[in-house]
Amino acid sequence: MASRALAVWQNRQVVGLLVRRNLKVKYQQSILGYAWSMLEPLAMSGVYFLVFGVLLNADRGTPGGSDAPGGYMLFLICGLLPWLSFSASLGEAPRALISHAKLITTMKVPREIFPLAVVTTKFVEYLFTWPVLLLFVFVLGGRTWLMGVLVWLPLALVVQFLFTLGVTLLLSSVNVLLRDIERIVRILNRVLFYASAVVYPASLVLDSGAAPGWFKVVYQLNPLVGIFQMHQSVWFPVGTPSSIAFGGAIGGAIIMFIIGYSTFRRLEMSVLKEL
């Protein structure tokens, strides 16, 4: 693994070229271009605020209460933006190798750079949406705290990147040999959205008397629950993840990366033959 990591680092310029190409292709022949990175989350935030914040009253579990700086709208947008990044990576993960078949079979580079380029592209796009988040913080009167900026934000970014990379390595290699993975991922994307406390506070589940104790533990072991709580903790100090959710996020990201990378290496030769 160390030698392959070194090889990837030596070919980091290739990763950079792939990322720049992906970004150019996305905004090619687009009138608004980069503005779409801000308009899409704005539109989705408005829809989910209407459905969950107004109609379903999901804001009652907002960390710090309804009077917390920024309120439910800020809680929604600071969870929705990283989710859009993860969801986009998850959607493109199965085709991370297939779409680069010609490059993989002709270039002598570590094959890991192609899934890595997909994840890095979506991570850069997430950074592009930060002006939207900061706008909401300013308009809604949101506040941050020192530990949120110095601890929870870097931790959330690193853990999400590691977890997403592990998922992408796994799905990209398996999908070459089993094309049903793409269809499974479409369903999984929808399920994870509602199972990961993106548009509703996790406290609605954890404080519910209808949910059994074992379900609450399993719910918190979902790595995405802890990851999005870390993102939300940057602006909501009382919304920090529990020890179970925190452990689930850290442990889940490490385990997912190990599984994804080991599967990727084990199937590498079979994938090359198929491509």
Side-chain angles (χ1 to χ4, degrees):
M1 183 180 292
S3 61
R4 293 294 290 252
L6 178 60
V8 171
W9 173 254
Q10 292 172 342
N11 288 275
R12 60 189 181 277
Q13 291 184 341
V14 179
V15 178
L17 289 173
L18 291 173
V19 171
R20 287 193 290 272
R21 188 204 64 175
N22 293 339
L23 292 174
K24 289 180 180 179
V25 169
K26 179 176 180 178
Y27 299 121
Q28 191 176 19
Q29 296 180 340
S30 173
I31 297 176
L32 297 180
Y34 163 69
W36 283 115
S37 296
M38 295 183 287
L39 292 176
E40 182 180 2
L42 281 173
M44 293 187 67
S45 298
V47 172
Y48 288 124
F49 179 78
L50 175 63
V51 174
F52 291 93
V54 178
L55 300 181
L56 299 181
N57 194 29
D59 62 334
R60 67 183 185 275
T62 303
S66 57
D67 296 331
Y72 175 69
M73 191 61 180
L74 179 58
F75 172 85
L76 177 64
I77 193 69
C78 69
L80 188 60
L81 292 180
W83 162 260
L84 289 174
S85 174
F86 173 77
S87 177
S89 296
L90 184 62
E92 293 191 17
R95 300 193 62 82
L97 295 178
I98 296 175
S99 59
H100 298 95
K102 291 184 179 180
L103 292 177
I104 293 173
T105 55
T106 56
M107 293 179 62
K108 291 184 178 181
V109 295
R111 283 87 189 186
E112 293 92 334
I113 69 172
F114 298 99
L116 177 61
V118 170
V119 177
T120 305
T121 299
K122 300 309 173 185
F123 180 76
V124 172
E125 290 179 4
Y126 167 64
L127 296 181
F128 284 171
T129 64
W130 262 75
V132 176
L133 176 58
L134 295 179
L135 176 64
F136 272 87
V137 172
F138 176 77
V139 173
L140 298 174
R143 300 173 186 173
T144 187
W145 54 312
L146 188 61
M147 188 172 179
V149 175
L150 298 181
V151 177
W152 290 115
L153 179 58
L155 196 58
L157 296 176
V158 171
V159 174
Q160 180 174 338
F161 188 91
L162 184 65
F163 179 77
T164 308
L165 181 57
V167 172
T168 305
L169 287 168
L170 175 66
L171 297 179
S172 62
S173 56
V174 175
N175 186 63
V176 176
L177 307 176
L178 186 63
R179 300 300 173 91
D180 293 332
I181 294 298
E182 289 188 56
R183 294 175 175 83
I184 295 175
V185 166
R186 293 171 193 165
I187 300 174
L188 184 63
N189 215 330
R190 296 186 180 94
V191 172
L192 287 176
F193 177 72
Y194 292 103
S196 303
V198 179
V199 294
Y200 64 88
S203 60
L204 291 183
V205 176
L206 301 179
D207 296 339
S208 174
W214 64 266
F215 177 81
K216 295 179 182 179
V217 173
V218 172
Y219 174 78
Q220 293 179 86
L221 289 177
N222 174 7
L224 293 176
V225 172
I227 289 173
F228 294 130
Q229 282 189 305
M230 291 181 199
H231 282 285
Q232 294 155 354
S233 297
V234 177
W235 313 101
F236 297 90
V238 297
T240 55
S242 65
S243 57
I244 298 177
F246 181 76
I250 302 295
I254 295 173
I255 293 173
M256 188 71 254
F257 178 76
I258 293 174
I259 293 175
Y261 185 74
S262 60
T263 303
F264 186 90
R265 289 297 306 276
R266 187 175 294 112
L267 299 178
E268 187 171 11
M269 297 311 298
S270 299
V271 167
L272 288 175
K273 292 178 182 179
E274 187 67 24
L275 294 176

